[in-house]
Amino acid sequence: MKRVLHFLKEETVLVISFLLAVVSMFFVAPSAAYLEYIDYRTISLLFCLMCVVAGLNGLGIFRRLAGLLLKRVKSVRTLCLTGVLLCYFSSMIITNDVALITFVPLTLITLKMSGGEKFIIPVVTLETIAANLGSMLTPIGNPQNVFLFSAFEMNLGQFLITILPYAALSLVLLVGGCFLLPKASVFLQPKSHEPESVAEKIGKKRFGIRTAIYAALLVVALLAVFRVFPYWIALIATVVLVLASDFRTLARVDYSLLFTFVFLFIFIGNLGNIEAIGSFLHDTVGGNEVVAGVLCSQIFSNVPAAVLLSNFTKDAFSLLVGVNLGGLGTLIASMASLISFRFVVREKVSAGKYLLVFTVLNVVMLLLNLALWLIIR
């Protein structure tokens, strides 16, 4: 029973998407047409990107980079600024959830080692916002961008033009938030011994080969994202090379996210075949993509919101803005935010206080970005 409850808690979005798919089957009988609902290109590209990121993360490359940077930190303010910039820019490539999984624990360790536990809540909150907002600037920064960029065959130039104003404003606000923190000094206590690196465990030659393979696969995946060649070439190359170099990487892929997409595709496909509901959503969403994206994200989180609303609009770029800004707000608006929350709770920090600070800062950032949208739309 405990395992079931743990699974339900950890995979809430997966479970909900599965239940939605099952319920929709009572209205639209299962058939071979279900196979046409699924966007195999998006699923394949997500799998390829997750394999690459899991492989590089397994080699400890991101942690090593962050560790080198954090060693130069001298104050709480510079610690927060370093963490925010790491999460903001790295999330554009390694995705928002991986950025938080990698850098938030390092921030917590640094604060605890230097006696700065009282700054955990504001620093981690700003890092979480940075990962969610930095990831919106690239087609591969988060799952909803991968999906929308693929499903609507977006142009990269227009994608960047659409998102850049919000990303730029967010960066300015985040940096400003860091400077509101005190200049309290941070003195790291040297460890008695450093843990053995991945390179030492597997050998420098093998480490170099694996790094080169994952770097090459990243290039291949990016070329497939930008439609230089078919996605199935990237999929085959990824599976073959990962199996040949380090098959354990496949076990670190977030398959729950992939199945979440599959269930959502089925649910939305069935929803579109229910005439009354399809017509209502089409009339409601059309022309209100940004507002609909923001509001739906607060309830379902922005990845399911993107998949749900995509069937009922042709204005892909407005929807892109809506679901990315929609990652701000409630804790579940972006599922990546739950990663930081779990790390913070483990440190016996007040969950209520964290949620209060997190919500206030997120709402402020959301309102300021929406104000910018009202100005430039």
Side-chain angles (χ1 to χ4, degrees), residues 120-142:
I120 284 178
I121 290 178
V123 173
V124 172
T125 297
L126 287 172
E127 287 183 343
T128 304
I129 295 174
N132 286 330
L133 292 176
S135 65
M136 69 180 173
L137 191 55
T138 65
I140 62 170
N142 51 51

Side-chain angles (χ1 to χ4, degrees), residues 60-365:
I61 291 174
F62 305 134
R63 290 183 63 85
R64 186 171 180 80
L65 172 63
L68 292 173
L69 291 173
L70 290 175
K71 283 181 179 179
R72 301 178 180 275
V73 166
K74 300 299 181 183
S75 70
V76 171
R77 183 179 295 176
T78 55
L79 169 63
C80 183
L81 185 60
T82 301
V84 162
L85 293 178
L86 277 171
C87 289
Y88 184 87
F89 288 105
S90 68
S91 65
M92 297 179 189
I93 302 298
I94 67 175
T95 72
N96 52 348
D97 54 345
V98 175
L100 293 173
I101 289 172
T102 303
F103 300 128
V104 168
L106 291 172
T107 298
L108 293 173
I109 291 170
T110 304
L111 286 172
K112 287 190 296 181
M113 287 176 61
S114 60
E117 289 92 339
K118 63 181 179 180
F119 300 110
I120 284 178
I121 290 178
V123 173
V124 172
T125 297
L126 287 172
E127 287 183 343
T128 304
I129 295 174
N132 286 330
L133 292 176
S135 65
M136 69 180 173
L137 191 55
T138 65
I140 62 170
N142 51 51
Q144 67 267 22
N145 281 7
V146 175
F147 167 69
L148 291 174
F149 192 84
S150 173
F152 287 94
E153 298 184 358
M154 290 181 172
N155 172 272
L156 179 60
Q158 187 61 44
F159 178 99
L160 294 174
I161 291 172
T162 300
I163 291 295
L164 187 58
Y166 307 102
L169 172 63
S170 299
L171 180 59
V172 171
L173 293 173
L174 286 165
V175 172
C178 293
F179 278 94
L180 293 177
L181 291 171
K183 292 183 178 180
S185 298
V186 172
F187 296 102
L188 296 183
Q189 301 170 4
K191 294 182 179 180
S192 57
H193 67 279
E194 292 291 335
E196 186 181 18
S197 69
V198 177
E200 292 171 332
K201 288 180 180 179
I202 67 175
K204 291 184 178 180
K205 183 177 180 181
R206 184 184 284 178
F207 177 84
I209 292 174
R210 289 184 185 177
T211 302
I213 288 174
Y214 289 123
L217 287 176
L218 176 60
V219 173
V220 170
L222 288 174
L223 291 174
V225 168
F226 297 127
R227 301 180 188 84
V228 175
F229 46 69
Y231 72 87
W232 55 266
I233 293 179
L235 178 62
I236 293 173
T238 299
V239 172
V240 171
L241 290 177
V242 169
L243 283 174
S245 60
D246 184 11
F247 66 91
R248 288 171 296 185
T249 295
L250 295 175
R252 295 193 288 266
V253 171
D254 185 3
Y255 293 103
S256 65
L257 177 60
L258 297 179
F259 279 107
T260 296
F261 266 95
V262 171
F263 296 142
L264 286 171
F265 284 136
I266 293 173
F267 168 65
I268 292 160
N270 285 338
L271 209 62
N273 285 323
I274 302 174
E275 187 175 348
I277 296 177
S279 297
F280 171 77
L281 287 173
H282 190 274
D283 294 341
T284 304
V285 175
N288 302 299
E289 290 82 3
V290 173
V291 175
V294 170
L295 293 178
C296 282
S297 296
Q298 306 310 305
I299 303 170
F300 304 117
S301 87
N302 52 4
V303 175
V307 180
L308 172 63
L309 300 177
S310 65
N311 260 28
F312 307 103
T313 181
K314 294 182 179 179
D315 189 351
F317 291 104
S318 292
L319 181 57
L320 178 72
V321 172
V323 295
N324 275 293
L325 296 186
L328 296 166
T330 63
L331 184 66
I332 64 168
S334 171
M335 295 307 293
S337 300
L338 289 172
I339 294 171
S340 299
F341 179 68
R342 289 170 187 154
F343 282 132
V344 167
V345 171
R346 289 174 191 168
E347 300 300 326
K348 298 181 180 179
V349 172
S350 169
K353 188 175 181 181
Y354 177 83
L355 286 173
L356 176 62
V357 174
F358 177 90
T359 303
V360 169
L361 290 180
N362 269 266
V363 170
V364 169
M365 293 288 287

